[in-house]
């Protein structure tokens, strides 16, 4: 379990996508993509998940930032089920989960409280999510393809 201070440090780090390709194809419905990311000082590694595995709703999508392969720090759910927080409050989709000490990613918040974006445009949400993660080399990549 991470302390909130450690989580805040990780979230605030400036990061870079590590890729040998400058074209990243947005996954089609039913597909999944991961991006390797590292801190600018190269001391920390992260994984960005772009998950479109749901086959019933083509607009359903999840973006997630993982640390040490299995610790979810941030997750955005688009066109999914409402989420019930540990205090019983229900948060409709789209929403964002942000790691909280003692709870992991069990707390969700309305997406617009943290990221102002257009949830109908999955590619725009991805770009805003990457900026929210302090990834500074987004403009070096061409994100295309997939249903957006």
């Amino acid at each position: 379990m991470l302390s909130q201070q450690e989580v805040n440090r990780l979230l605030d780090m400036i990061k870079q996508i590590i890729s040998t390709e400058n074209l990243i194809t947005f996954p089609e419905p039913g597909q999944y993509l991961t991006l390797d990311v590292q801190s600018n000082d190269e001391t920390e590694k992260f994984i960005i998940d772009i998950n479109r595995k749901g086959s019933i709703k083509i607009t359903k999508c999840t973006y997630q930032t993982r640390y040490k392969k299995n610790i979810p720090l941030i997750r955005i759910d688009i066109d999914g089920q409402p989420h019930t927080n540990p205090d019983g409050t229900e948060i409709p989709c789209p929403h964002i989960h942000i790691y909280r000490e003692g709870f992991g990613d069990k707390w969700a918040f309305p997406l617009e409280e943290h990221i102002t974006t257009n949830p109908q445009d999955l590619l725009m949400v991805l770009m805003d999510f990457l900026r929210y993660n302090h990834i500074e080399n987004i403009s070096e990549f061409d994100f295309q393809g997939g249903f957006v």
Side-chain angles (χ1 to χ4, degrees):
M1 181 160 313
L2 299 174
S3 72
Q4 196 61 49
Q5 182 179 5
E6 178 68 3
V7 169
N8 294 344
R9 182 187 73 80
L10 294 168
L11 294 177
D12 289 342
M13 289 181 136
I14 305 297
K15 303 168 189 78
Q16 301 281 326
I17 296 171
I18 306 165
S19 178
T20 58
E21 304 287 327
N22 64 350
L23 173 65
I24 296 174
T25 303
F26 192 81
E28 295 282 342
Q31 295 181 340
Y32 180 88
L33 175 69
T34 61
L35 302 174
D36 291 319
V37 174
Q38 71 181 10
S39 59
N40 272 5
D41 64 7
E42 300 181 5
T43 61
E44 303 292 354
K45 299 203 179 300
F46 305 87
I47 298 169
I48 300 288
D49 299 306
I50 305 166
N51 185 347
R52 305 229 20 233
K53 285 186 178 178
S55 59
I56 296 174
K57 290 183 177 181
I58 60 172
T59 54
K60 186 174 181 176
C61 189
T62 297
Y63 303 105
Q64 179 173 245
T65 304
R66 290 184 283 143
Y67 174 65
K68 293 196 175 184
K69 295 186 182 179
N70 63 354
I71 302 172
L73 297 177
I74 305 171
R75 186 176 84 237
I76 292 179
D77 295 321
I78 304 289
D79 204 10
Q81 295 295 315
H83 174 81
T84 303
N85 282 332
D87 67 357
T89 58
E90 188 173 276
I91 307 297
C93 237
H95 55 251
I96 184 170
H97 297 256
I98 303 171
Y99 187 101
R100 188 185 228 179
E101 183 177 2
F103 294 95
D105 66 346
K106 303 290 187 244
W107 283 90
F109 308 90
L111 182 60
E112 66 274 3
E113 286 182 9
H114 293 271
I115 299 176
T116 303
T117 192
N118 176 4
Q120 306 305 313
D121 184 335
L122 297 180
L123 191 54
M124 179 186 287
V125 177
L126 173 60
M127 294 299 164
D128 292 339
F129 178 71
L130 294 174
R131 282 189 279 278
Y132 188 79
N133 274 278
H134 303 286
I135 297 174
E136 68 176 15
N137 67 333
I138 301 167
S139 62
E140 295 175 18
F141 296 93
D142 185 12
F143 289 85
Q144 62 181 345
F147 170 81
V148 183

